[in-house]
Amino acid sequence: METVSTNTAFGGVQGVYRHASRETGTEMTFSVFVPPHAPGAKLPVVWYLSGLTCTHANVTEKGEFRRACAELGLIFVAPDTSPRGEGVADDPDGAWDFGLGAGFYVDATQAPYAAHYRMWSYVTQELPALIADQFPADMDRQSIMGHSMGGHGALTVGLTYPDRYRAVSAFAPIVAPGQVPWGEKALGGYLGEDRAAWRKHDAVALIEDGARIDALLVDQGAGDSFLEGQLRPQLLRTACDAAGIDLTLNLREGYDHSYYFISSFMDDHLRWHAARLG
């Protein structure tokens, strides 16, 4: 693991790191904030999955999470959103919603993407092992959150591994990618046309198929231009109500899809996570 940069913030260390990934076959960059702590202490870990076109840098620079993480004693990990580098396939038309920056947190099965787009295994297996080895992380106390495409990732990962993640939340998530244009393009391109294979990467479908978690927290901007066409949080509400999942769904008037929205409610989410992480 190579250290790209470190900076002191709120008494802790904000680092950016790079390593050679066995899953993606590329170099991958991620950021970690480690709050101030006693020598030898092990700290709970909050994972943050970013959205379309983003890297680790978006939340690291704009998320305004460090003050709360320092106060609450939380390690904050932000992976990249896709493999990158020479030879990594991109959208053939150069679109921003598929390919580089848009890995959708799945393990692709379709050529040419299957060679490198293994973001599911990267964020659920490979990177957690690296974090456990290199940082003072208590891997028995993990939680996960994300934004937009990353909100989709956080919900599907949390629903798939309910015993691993003690809290799951999202900002403006794509709750039912199998029913909206972003998701249909991504899941079809990465996983093929068999929609049955998409269901394990669709939060609403997972809940319909029996996945359960005690509680979910979702914040959504009422002024989000993607609300009705791509995000459709009401579908998650319907699924959670039918399954008996305690969903807190906050519709925030005046807020859009940007990091102005995310940073406004980041503190609420981190405190919600900390209460469940112990």
Side-chain angles (χ1 to χ4, degrees):
M1 187 181 73
E2 173 191 353
T3 300
V4 177
S5 65
T6 57
N7 296 92
T8 301
F10 297 100
V13 176
Q14 176 65 66
V16 176
Y17 307 93
R18 182 184 298 122
H19 73 117
S21 168
R22 68 171 184 273
E23 290 292 346
T24 68
T26 66
E27 287 193 334
M28 295 293 288
T29 302
F30 61 96
S31 75
V32 182
F33 177 70
V34 179
H37 60 282
K42 293 286 189 178
L43 307 175
V45 179
V46 177
W47 294 86
Y48 179 93
L49 304 185
S50 295
L52 289 165
T53 76
C54 293
T55 70
H56 70 281
N58 296 75
V59 69
T60 306
E61 296 169 2
K62 303 175 185 177
E64 300 185 25
F65 56 86
R66 280 173 285 269
R67 183 187 297 273
C69 285
E71 176 191 339
L72 299 168
L74 303 173
I75 293 175
F76 191 95
V77 182
D80 201 348
T81 52
S82 78
R84 301 177 194 271
E86 185 177 354
V88 177
D90 197 3
D91 185 277
D93 299 319
W96 57 270
D97 58 356
F98 188 80
L100 297 181
F104 252 79
Y105 304 102
V106 303
D107 286 347
T109 59
Q110 304 300 299
Y113 305 102
H116 299 291
Y117 284 79
R118 295 188 51 80
M119 292 303 296
W120 178 271
S121 292
Y122 179 72
V123 300
T124 65
Q125 305 297 329
E126 183 179 9
L127 190 55
L130 183 62
I131 296 299
D133 183 61
Q134 297 290 328
F135 297 91
D138 182 353
M139 303 306 281
D140 291 327
R141 292 187 292 161
Q142 298 184 72
S143 67
I144 192 165
M145 67 167 72
H147 169 233
S148 193
M149 177 186 72
H152 139 76
L155 294 176
T156 55
V157 169
L159 285 162
T160 302
Y161 297 105
D163 295 331
R164 182 189 302 183
Y165 302 97
R166 296 192 185 184
V168 181
S169 73
F171 300 98
I174 306 168
V175 303
Q179 301 183 51
V180 299
W182 277 345
E184 290 177 328
K185 179 178 181 178
L187 298 181
Y190 293 134
L191 303 178
E193 295 306 314
D194 180 6
R195 286 177 173 257
W198 299 6
R199 294 186 68 82
K200 66 181 180 179
H201 293 294
D202 181 312
V204 168
L206 278 166
I207 293 169
E208 291 174 347
D209 292 346
R212 294 294 181 266
I213 197 167
D214 290 340
L216 294 171
L217 171 63
V218 172
D219 272 86
Q220 172 65 59
D224 191 326
S225 61
F226 303 117
L227 177 58
E228 296 302 325
Q230 303 284 8
L231 307 178
R232 304 182 67 188
Q234 68 275 12
L235 296 176
L236 183 64
R237 165 62 71 196
T238 299
C240 286
D241 285 349
I245 295 173
D246 181 11
L247 170 66
T248 300
L249 176 58
N250 299 313
L251 190 64
R252 304 293 190 177
E253 291 297 330
Y255 286 90
D256 58 16
H257 199 69
S258 72
Y259 269 87
Y260 295 108
F261 158 62
I262 297 166
S263 62
S264 296
F265 302 102
M266 179 66 81
D267 189 88
D268 294 347
H269 280 242
L270 290 172
R271 293 184 187 280
W272 191 83
H273 283 246
R276 287 156 177 78
L277 287 166

